[in-house]
Amino acid sequence: MKTAAETDKQRWERETLAPALAKLPDRSQPFTTISGRPIERLYTADDLDGIDASRDIAQPGEFPYTRGIHPTGYRGKLWTMRQFAGFGTPEETNERYKTLLRAGGTGLSVAFDLPTLMGRDPDHELSLGEVGKCGVNVTSLADMETLFDDIRLSEVTTSMTINSPAAMIFAMYLVVAEKQRADWKQLSGTIQNDILKEFIAQKEYIFPPRPSMRIITDIFAFCSREVPRWNTISVSGYHIREAGATAAQELAFTLRDGLEYVRWGVDAGLDVDDFVPRMSFFFNAHSDFFEEIAKYRAARKLWAEAMRDRFGAKSDRSWKLRFHTQTAGVSLTAQQPYNNVVRTALQALSAVLGGTNSLHTNSLDEALALPTAEAATLALRTQQVIAHESGVANVVDPLGGSYFVERLTKDMEDEALAYFERIDRMGGMVEAIERGFPQQEIAESAYRFQQAVERKDKIVVGVNGFVQTDEPPMEILYIGETASETQLAKLADLKRTRDSAAVRRTLDRLGSAARGADNLMPPILDAVRAYATVGEMCDTLREVWGEYEEVPMI
Amino acid sequence: MRKLRVVIAKPGLDGHDRGAKVIARALRDAGMEVIYTGLRQTPEQIASAALQEDADVIGLSILSGAHNHIAPRLMDLLRSKGLDDVLVVLGGIIPGVDIPKLKEIGVKGIFLPGTPMQDIVDFINANARTRVA
């Protein structure tokens, strides 16, 4: 019997739980999420204190979109199955894209190599050994033409993971579309274009933060006029999480980055409702199932409220947070790699239950190398099994109303808001980055997690538990040096055959635009049309703005 | 005897520094003196950092696949600077077929994903010696 002063949960603990615990006590491991968040044994209606169901949870398609942005969930349209791929030469990657499209992939996603990501041509000293290794090498428009050979840009949507040289690569895509006679107004896809998370986590920056932010607002302005269906930015928590952040830190830093871009756009004179609807997000799907689901739900609510209340956005398209998800590369193990198929399936399921709009599932061999075609196909099949066999796509937000999930959603939101406040006090995200705040928070979390693994507080199957010593080696995709040789030869050839006066002239115009305040996209498009290389365009901007170097901290 | 001095370096264009930073902290907590060079160091910069810092150990973190270019160049440079006795270890994503070649040119320890931090600490303690300045 419940006494007057106790809740039903307390009564249950006393009457039912206590005798059970006396017979069988808890296991000795800490009951925490992978982020170290303590989890209670049981959640009941009492845990919904402070949550107003109609205000905070609401219904799908309704503000604040905690339950999803689409009233129809996945019944109208499944998420986009978008597999990130790229390696070697544009010719090789073009083949892989055609394979993925034939296998039922519904969008393309380009992985570039490090020289391209860092704005260096294959003949630069720092490109030594890196050409085509972690993605496809794209040096000039000629490579982009090859990459999309036989693929109609008006019929696919393409996501491109490119940040510092995003404007140049996007311009190449637009010029390829132009040559295919596709209408820019109809083109759809995404450029990652999120420089803040580069400074915070992935570290593929070139220019200092402030001119980098200007390129981004120039892209916002250009696209709102010329390429209105293009997603101009994919504000990314993925890399923040991979660098070691907790789920709440991923949520907080990503959303706060988003707010920073909106502030810079508004300060550049843009109307919120003109550019915010084209902003999208990109989250990690890590291994702690419910914590991830809560993270996606909290993200939608935080964004909707911030857009309406902080920035006065009037359009519901500005309020709705759309996001891509990728399963956690960092969770994959080199040991017993087939276990990774299971990890990825669970992570993908959390993204789907959290209402992702598109999804990439990692391949089982990615702790060892870039994936083989077979491994990449199996990863796509994982999504198709979830979509068509598991039944989870039949119902909108199946976990809505779960005491546990709603409590966790609210806790994640509160933690993110506390970080927002700290970063606001520093003057904003650019200022926080300049003083190394998010970087240090993440490094702390990464080290704490590694220590938990060493202590076996966290078990990673096949690594610190259930270890197997007689593992057969796995066949991997080995990328040799031929891509580098091919790309170097093509570059030399290009430099002989293009109109070098036009290259010089367009690069000079780009330099003067960078020194002034004109939008950078038109001069970049002209340089691309003249077959200026990524390295040449970035060097032109390096001369004006200099290069960013972070202070090494451990 | 003075503490072991370790230069942790991240060569190449890659910026994924989680591994380098975690190991740097682990070695520091294990009582070593750790100098982290930061990102995108050329083999030349790493060799001169080792010389200037009077390093006993160089730890490289390479995930991008550029190890077959970076490691041989660094080993040549170390020899030419008379730093042959500096212990060189490498952590990252290294295909199995490349490991014998790397060992042959003098990379003593190669640590793949999933290696416990303590194993790396133990390996360094067993194989490095403080160089007499």
Side-chain angles (χ1 to χ4, degrees):
Chain A
M1 266 256 314
K2 187 162 153 327
T3 64
E6 73 182 353
T7 64
D8 187 51
K9 187 172 176 182
Q10 287 162 338
R11 178 209 52 80
W12 170 81
E13 283 169 348
R14 183 172 48 76
E15 284 183 0
T16 309
L17 175 66
L21 275 179
K23 277 191 232 142
L24 182 64
D26 282 347
R27 285 173 285 128
S28 61
Q29 69 170 94
F31 292 92
T32 56
T33 66
I34 200 164
S35 302
R37 170 193 306 279
I39 293 296
E40 289 183 38
R41 174 190 316 281
L42 179 77
Y43 291 79
T44 69
D46 298 331
D47 292 290
L48 298 183
D49 257 7
I51 300 173
D52 177 329
S54 64
R55 181 195 64 200
D56 298 325
I57 305 172
Q59 298 303 344
E62 290 180 357
F63 194 92
Y65 309 103
T66 312
R67 304 200 67 187
I69 59 169
H70 297 303
T72 57
Y74 296 124
R75 288 169 75 112
K77 181 179 168 288
L78 287 166
W79 63 92
T80 303
M81 299 180 192
R82 193 187 290 287
Q83 295 294 94
F84 188 45
F87 60 97
T89 61
E91 286 83 354
E92 292 168 283
T93 299
N94 174 259
E95 275 309 309
R96 178 67 67 89
Y97 290 164
K98 289 179 189 163
T99 306
L100 282 167
L101 289 173
R102 273 194 302 269
T106 50
L108 295 176
S109 176
V110 188
F112 295 99
D113 70 353
L114 282 163
T116 310
L117 294 171
M118 292 303 300
R120 299 289 186 193
D121 288 342
D123 56 3
H124 191 276
E125 178 197 11
L126 278 167
S127 299
L128 182 73
E130 311 266 23
V131 176
K133 288 280 168 62
C134 294
V136 61
N137 182 256
V138 172
T139 307
S140 75
L141 175 62
D143 289 327
M144 204 66 151
E145 290 165 355
T146 307
L147 188 63
F148 292 102
D149 189 38
D150 266 343
I151 297 170
R152 302 292 307 162
L153 300 191
S154 53
E155 288 162 24
V156 293
T157 65
T158 306
S159 167
M160 291 185 281
T161 296
I162 190 78
N163 295 283
S164 291
M168 292 84 180
I169 294 291
F170 180 48
M172 288 181 188
Y173 191 85
L174 291 177
V175 175
V176 171
E178 191 173 85
K179 292 190 169 199
Q180 291 185 357
R181 305 199 182 289
D183 180 2
W184 284 2
K185 299 245 165 5
Q186 301 305 318
L187 285 185
S188 176
T190 307
I191 41 175
Q192 196 164 78
N193 198 25
D194 170 13
I195 200 65
L196 293 174
K197 67 91 176 50
E198 295 297 337
F199 294 116
I200 295 172
Q202 190 170 236
K203 313 288 173 81
E204 281 153 11
Y205 41 70
I206 301 176
F207 316 112
R210 288 158 206 274
S212 297
M213 291 297 281
R214 174 208 164 168
I215 306 180
I216 292 167
T217 50
D218 280 359
I219 293 173
F220 288 170
F222 175 84
C223 284
S224 69
R225 290 191 306 268
E226 308 283 342
V227 203
R229 294 182 54 201
W230 196 268
N231 296 312
T232 51
I233 193 167
S234 170
V235 187
S236 304
Y238 186 81
H239 320 78
I240 290 173
R241 190 66 180 281
E242 292 283 298
T246 63
Q249 287 169 340
E250 177 195 355
L251 176 68
F253 297 152
T254 309
L255 275 273
R256 189 58 189 76
D257 281 352
L259 301 183
E260 192 76 8
Y261 291 118
V262 176
R263 200 192 83 196
W264 280 68
V266 169
D267 288 351
L270 302 174
D271 185 275
V272 178
D273 288 320
D274 278 346
F275 71 99
V276 173
R278 293 327 306 180
M279 291 177 69
S280 62
F281 285 80
F282 173 22
F283 293 110
N284 196 296
H286 214 301
S287 298
D288 200 289
F289 195 70
F290 290 105
E291 190 173 45
E292 295 303 277
I293 295 166
K295 178 183 76 183
Y296 310 123
R297 300 174 88 253
R300 278 191 296 265
K301 177 167 189 280
L302 281 162
W303 186 250
E305 290 177 350
M307 285 309 103
R308 191 189 64 180
D309 304 337
R310 257 199 200 214
F311 289 100
K314 305 258 177 330
S315 165
D316 63 346
R317 292 171 58 236
S318 300
W319 302 339
K320 290 175 185 168
L321 178 144
R322 294 170 300 131
F323 69 103
H324 174 70
T325 307
Q326 178 169 340
T327 56
V330 76
S331 73
L332 302 182
T333 62
Q335 295 76 14
Q336 305 176 37
Y338 283 95
N339 298 345
N340 293 329
V341 180
V342 183
R343 292 189 178 101
T344 297
L346 287 166
Q347 294 164 0
L349 184 60
S350 77
V352 169
L353 293 175
T356 195
N357 303 97
S358 77
L359 178 61
H360 167 101
T361 31
N362 290 324
S363 299
L364 67 110
D365 51 359
E366 289 192 65
L368 301 160
L370 263 55
T372 62
E374 294 71 29
T377 306
L378 177 57
L380 173 61
R381 297 289 179 246
T382 306
Q383 293 198 39
Q384 291 164 338
V385 169
I386 293 173
H388 300 287
E389 297 184 17
S390 75
V392 296
N394 289 337
V395 58
V396 192
D397 189 33
L399 294 176
S402 148
Y403 303 128
F404 177 37
V405 169
E406 298 299 356
R407 179 73 256 159
L408 211 49
T409 302
K410 180 71 167 70
D411 289 349
M412 296 285 275
E413 181 195 345
D414 289 346
E415 260 183 83
L417 287 171
Y419 266 122
F420 285 6
E421 238 185 82
R422 288 174 77 180
I423 293 166
D424 288 348
R425 272 204 304 274
M426 292 176 197
M429 199 47 148
V430 169
E431 289 77 3
I433 287 168
E434 285 169 344
R435 62 159 93 169
F437 171 69
Q439 296 94 313
Q440 284 298 90
E441 291 285 297
I442 294 167
E444 277 300 329
S445 300
Y447 193 46
R448 258 200 307 271
F449 175 73
Q450 196 58 40
Q451 288 174 313
V453 171
E454 303 257 315
R455 284 193 307 266
K456 300 197 182 188
D457 283 350
K458 294 283 172 218
I459 293 295
V460 183
V461 174
V463 175
N464 66 353
F466 316 101
V467 176
Q468 201 173 309
T469 46
D470 53 344
E471 282 188 70
M474 161 158 259
E475 287 258 355
I476 60 164
L477 180 75
Y478 190 84
I479 298 173
E481 303 309 318
T482 54
S484 173
E485 288 154 21
T486 309
Q487 290 303 92
L488 281 167
K490 278 160 66 180
L491 177 58
D493 203 42
L494 177 81
K495 284 187 174 167
R496 265 195 312 277
T497 52
R498 65 183 183 176
D499 176 354
S500 47
V503 173
R504 197 61 268 155
R505 194 174 56 242
T506 53
L507 289 177
D508 286 347
R509 240 193 86 208
L510 173 59
S512 34
R515 274 183 289 272
D518 287 350
N519 193 302
L520 292 168
M521 280 306 291
I524 289 173
L525 280 158
D526 285 341
V528 162
R529 290 187 186 105
Y531 290 88
T533 65
V534 172
E536 290 165 339
M537 289 184 274
C538 288
D539 281 347
T540 302
L541 298 181
R542 283 184 181 100
E543 279 163 30
V544 181
W545 295 329
E547 283 183 84
Y548 181 74
E549 254 183 75
E550 75 166 7
V551 183
M553 283 184 290
I554 52 176
Chain B
M1 209 170 66
R2 71 169 169 84
K3 289 176 170 182
L4 278 174
R5 291 175 67 82
V6 186
V7 165
I8 296 290
K10 184 110 184 77
L13 283 173
D14 178 38
H16 291 87
D17 56 5
R18 176 177 183 165
K21 285 182 162 186
V22 164
I23 289 301
R25 285 183 181 222
L27 299 182
R28 195 178 58 191
D29 286 355
M32 301 177 199
E33 206 150 318
V34 178
I35 301 103
Y36 174 49
T37 64
L39 299 171
R40 288 182 259 283
Q41 300 291 301
T42 61
E44 287 75 9
Q45 289 169 315
I46 296 167
S48 24
L51 186 66
Q52 276 163 23
E53 298 290 347
D54 196 18
D56 308 305
V57 182
I58 298 175
L60 301 172
S61 171
I62 309 179
L63 313 175
S64 71
H67 48 273
N68 288 335
H69 290 269
I70 289 160
R73 204 148 113 190
L74 176 67
M75 300 312 289
D76 284 348
L77 286 163
L78 291 179
R79 247 189 312 280
S80 72
K81 289 181 193 286
L83 297 173
D84 322 50
D85 52 346
V86 173
L87 174 71
V88 178
V89 296
L90 165 62
I93 300 184
I94 311 294
V97 295
D98 293 341
I99 291 175
K101 281 179 285 182
L102 292 166
K103 291 240 162 119
E104 210 171 284
I105 61 168
V107 180
K108 290 274 169 31
I110 295 173
F111 302 107
L112 302 179
T115 307
M117 297 187 287
Q118 192 57 46
D119 288 8
I120 298 171
V121 170
D122 293 345
F123 183 90
I124 290 176
N125 278 326
N127 290 278
R129 52 177 194 80
T130 51
R131 304 166 72 245
V132 184

